């Protein structure tokens, strides 16, 4: 294995080091990732217990000239959390979250999920912008930007980042913030995993505890009206109002008429994060867009909404996604959605159109690596299905949908929704920030050790 042996690595770390020699069961469990399309065989999976273990894994990969994959919460659709023949620094066991209710901050370890984070902050009536699925990793979501229910009011996850502990390519642990390693801190807020392995994230928190919301389903023949109405309404809606329109096949849930299970609908997943007693009034416009087929709307803990759709996306599905930013959700773009959205192949697949105006727009495009501060929506076409036999057909649905909407969208898209065949879009994803990101990359990772990502080359 070169300069350092696996045995020497084991001596340096607190966590387990799993290799093919440990037997099929242990090795297969350690190497399995969220997207079942990805089947790779790393030389070693380091199950990191602390930042020192991450430093050791980075050193081992660098000194032996091996590929290095960093796995946080583990949701990477392109499979960037694993590799063939290299080293996986698996942070998924590092899930601690510590809340400072007086200072209104929380520090999450690099493997924490938003479910972990929300469970820690909710008792204090505090939250920050997380994702839509609670099993999503805090790290991956934040490093790519961080779109979620609370974004219109609180900004992106990366906008709420206060500091980060980062293991850089030379094996050092540095703290990045507005006060130190400012260039690295700037790059981490949207630049993905290009600059190091983040072992801890510190966030600012806001008063959010219970919310009012949930899914509202409409007939497909109302989809055009719903999308146009949502577009016009959300442009200047109160910023406490989050949520998004989506295409979705109805799962067998009690609030949906049984004879409609398995049918496709247009829906709005709503989230009012203001005073819950104002929620019914705040959501009234959604009930006026078109006749409602079914809904499950009411007051609930914010973590309950954040985890409401987890069952639709369990580990082990096949995944292929595409994404675009939309400065204006034009009528032509909506027409493309009306053609392809209803063709959802299975109940797990979905299309979400996230509004990212409000607080997201009050951050200058050059203030963080996340450059699309003029985009009004981020669209994701998320192909997810259980049967590998359907890979070709379902991947074609995603690609056809993307190609139909791309002419009506910005050239770049949200890096967290990109597929592994989107490397050609990297510069467009960062617009005017790309050259500065490349400079930061040259400073902190000149040899591109952290290249298993939507890669910014030094």
């Amino acid at each position: 294995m070169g300069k350092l042996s696996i045995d020497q690595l084991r001596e340096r770390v607190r966590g387990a080091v799993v290799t093919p020699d440990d037997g099929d069961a242990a090795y297969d469990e350690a190497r399995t990732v969220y997207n079942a399309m990805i089947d790779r065989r790393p030389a070693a999976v380091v199950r990191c217990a602390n930042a020192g273990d991450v430093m050791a894994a980075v050193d081992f990969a660098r000194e032996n000239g091996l590929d290095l994959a960093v796995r946080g919460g583990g949701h990477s659709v392109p499979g960037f959390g694993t590799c063939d023949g290299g080293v996986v620094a698996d942070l998924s066991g590092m899930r601690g979250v510590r809340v400072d209710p007086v200072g209104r901050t929380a520090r999450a370890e690099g493997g924490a999920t938003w479910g972990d984070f929300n469970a820690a902050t909710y008792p204090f009536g505090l939250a920050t912008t997380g994702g839509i699925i609670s099993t999503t990793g805090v790290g991956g979501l934040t490093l790519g930007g961080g779109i979620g229910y609370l974004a219109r009011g609180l900004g992106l996850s990366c906008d709420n980042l206060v500091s980060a502990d980062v293991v850089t390519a030379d094996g050092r642990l540095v703290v990045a913030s507005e006060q130190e390693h400012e260039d690295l801190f700037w790059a981490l807020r949207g630049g993905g995993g290009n600059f190091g392995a983040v072992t801890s994230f510190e966030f600012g928190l806001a008063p959010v505890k219970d919310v009012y919301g949930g899914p509202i389903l409409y007939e497909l023949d109302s989809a055009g009206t719903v999308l146009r109405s949502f577009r016009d309404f959300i442009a200047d809606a109160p910023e406490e109002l989050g949520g998004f329109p989506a295409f979705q096949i109805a799962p067998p849930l009690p609030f949906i008429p049984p004879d409609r299970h398995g049918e496709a609908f247009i829906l709005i997943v709503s989230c009012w994060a203001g005073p819950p007693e104002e929620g019914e009034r705040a959501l009234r416009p959604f009930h006026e867009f078109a006749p409602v087929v079914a809904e499950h709307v009411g007051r609930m803990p914010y973590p309950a909404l954040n985890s409401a759709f987890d069952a639709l996306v369990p580990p082990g599905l096949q995944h292929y996604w595409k994404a675009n930013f939309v400065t204006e959700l034009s009528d032509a773009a909506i027409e493309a959605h009306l053609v392809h959205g209803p063709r959802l192949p299975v109940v797990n697949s979905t299309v979400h159109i996230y509004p990212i105006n409000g607080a997201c727009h009050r951050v200058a495009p050059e203030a963080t690596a996340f450059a699309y501060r003029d985009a009004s929506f981020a669209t994701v076409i998320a192909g997810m299905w259980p049967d590998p036999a359907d890979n070709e057909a379902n991947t074609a649905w995603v690609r056809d949908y993307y190609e139909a909407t791309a002419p009506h969208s910005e050239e770049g898209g949200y890096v967290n929704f990109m597929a592994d065949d989107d490397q050609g879009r990297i510069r467009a994803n960062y617009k005017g920030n790309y050259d500065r990101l490349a400079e930061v990359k040259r400073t902190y990772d000149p040899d591109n050790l952290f290249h298993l990502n939507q890669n910014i080359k030094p």
Side-chain angles (χ1 to χ4, degrees), residues 6 9-11 13 15-19 22 43-47:
I6 288 288
L9 176 62
R10 285 193 169 106
E11 291 173 0
V13 300
V17 178
V18 184
T19 72
D22 292 310
V45 178
V46 183
R47 295 190 136 163

Side-chain angles (χ1 to χ4, degrees), residues 50-126:
N50 52 45
D53 286 2
V54 180
M55 295 165 70
V58 169
D59 286 341
F60 184 82
R62 184 190 66 252
E63 293 173 14
N64 286 283
L66 298 173
D67 278 346
L68 173 66
V70 180
R71 184 185 305 164
H75 266 216
S76 173
V77 167
F80 292 143
T82 188
C83 57
D84 279 322
V87 178
V88 175
D90 183 358
L91 280 62
S92 62
M94 298 170 57
R95 297 176 63 166
V97 181
R98 184 182 182 277
V99 180
D100 174 3
V102 177
R104 287 188 177 178
T105 62
R107 182 173 293 278
E109 289 187 299
T113 67
W114 285 104
D116 299 325
F117 190 92
N118 295 335
T121 59
Y122 177 77
F124 300 102
L126 298 170

Side-chain angles (χ1 to χ4, degrees), residues 114 117 127-131 137-148 150-152 154-164 176-178 182 184-193 195 198 201-205 325 356 359-373 414-416 429-430 433 437:
W114 285 104
F117 190 92
T128 198
T129 303
V138 168
L141 188 90
T142 302
L143 292 174
I147 295 170
L150 305 179
R152 294 188 68 247
L154 303 183
L156 304 172
S157 303
C158 70
D159 298 334
N160 294 279
L161 189 65
V162 176
S163 70
S177 70
E178 293 283 11
E182 300 94 329
L184 176 60
F185 185 59
W186 173 85
L188 292 174
R189 288 174 289 166
F195 309 98
V198 182
F201 296 82
E202 181 187 10
F203 295 93
L205 303 175
F325 287 122
I356 50 171
C360 303
H361 280 186
R362 290 197 293 277
V363 179
E366 68 278 4
T368 67
F370 188 97
Y372 277 87
R373 297 296 181 164
Y414 181 39
V415 293
N416 285 346
N429 293 341
Y430 291 107
N433 289 339
L437 284 164

Side-chain angles (χ1 to χ4, degrees), residues 30-355:
R31 72 184 184 89
T32 298
V33 293
Y34 182 72
N35 183 357
M37 269 192 187
I38 310 300
D39 182 22
R40 295 184 183 138
R41 301 184 66 85
V45 178
V46 183
R47 295 190 136 163
C48 301
N50 52 45
D53 286 2
V54 180
M55 295 165 70
V58 169
D59 286 341
F60 184 82
R62 184 190 66 252
E63 293 173 14
N64 286 283
L66 298 173
D67 278 346
L68 173 66
V70 180
R71 184 185 305 164
H75 266 216
S76 173
V77 167
F80 292 143
T82 188
C83 57
D84 279 322
V87 178
V88 175
D90 183 358
L91 280 62
S92 62
M94 298 170 57
R95 297 176 63 166
V97 181
R98 184 182 182 277
V99 180
D100 174 3
V102 177
R104 287 188 177 178
T105 62
R107 182 173 293 278
E109 289 187 299
T113 67
W114 285 104
D116 299 325
F117 190 92
N118 295 335
T121 59
Y122 177 77
F124 300 102
L126 298 170
T128 198
T129 303
I132 305 300
I133 304 296
S134 76
T135 54
T136 302
V138 168
L141 188 90
T142 302
L143 292 174
I147 295 170
Y149 288 112
L150 305 179
R152 294 188 68 247
L154 303 183
L156 304 172
S157 303
C158 70
D159 298 334
N160 294 279
L161 189 65
V162 176
S163 70
D165 296 345
V166 190
V167 177
T168 53
D170 57 3
R172 291 181 301 146
L173 180 72
V174 303
V175 178
S177 70
E178 293 283 11
Q179 288 74 45
E180 49 188 330
H181 294 283
E182 300 94 329
D183 54 343
L184 176 60
F185 185 59
W186 173 85
L188 292 174
R189 288 174 289 166
N194 277 281
F195 309 98
V198 182
T199 60
S200 176
F201 296 82
E202 181 187 10
F203 295 93
L205 303 175
V208 176
K209 193 169 189 181
D210 289 355
V211 298
Y212 189 96
I216 305 169
L217 280 67
Y218 313 85
E219 300 286 5
L220 276 179
D221 60 13
S222 297
T225 300
V226 170
L227 290 175
R228 287 186 292 271
S229 299
F230 185 91
R231 171 196 66 192
D232 298 341
F233 172 72
I234 207 69
D236 56 5
E239 291 183 0
E240 297 93 338
L241 187 61
F244 52 91
F247 288 96
Q248 180 71 54
I249 291 174
L253 295 173
F255 72 93
I256 301 172
D259 62 338
R260 307 303 302 275
H261 294 172
E263 292 187 32
F265 291 90
I266 182 77
L267 66 151
I268 291 174
V269 182
S270 57
C271 176
W272 170 255
E277 62 272 14
E278 298 177 9
E280 184 177 354
R281 177 187 55 80
L283 267 56
R284 191 172 300 142
F286 295 160
H287 293 86
E288 297 170 353
F289 289 171
V292 173
V293 175
E295 63 180 319
H296 187 60
V297 170
R299 180 172 180 160
M300 68 185 80
Y302 169 66
L305 182 61
N306 192 227
S307 61
F309 303 103
D310 289 4
L312 288 174
V313 286
L317 297 178
Q318 314 287 309
H319 288 257
Y320 184 75
W321 297 17
K322 288 288 185 182
N324 267 324
F325 287 122
V326 179
T327 302
E328 177 191 2
L329 186 61
S330 65
D331 288 344
I334 288 173
E335 289 302 315
H337 283 290
L338 298 181
V339 171
H340 294 273
R343 299 176 182 172
L344 295 155
V346 294
V347 68
N348 313 95
S349 293
T350 191
V351 179
H352 293 176
I353 306 173
Y354 299 115

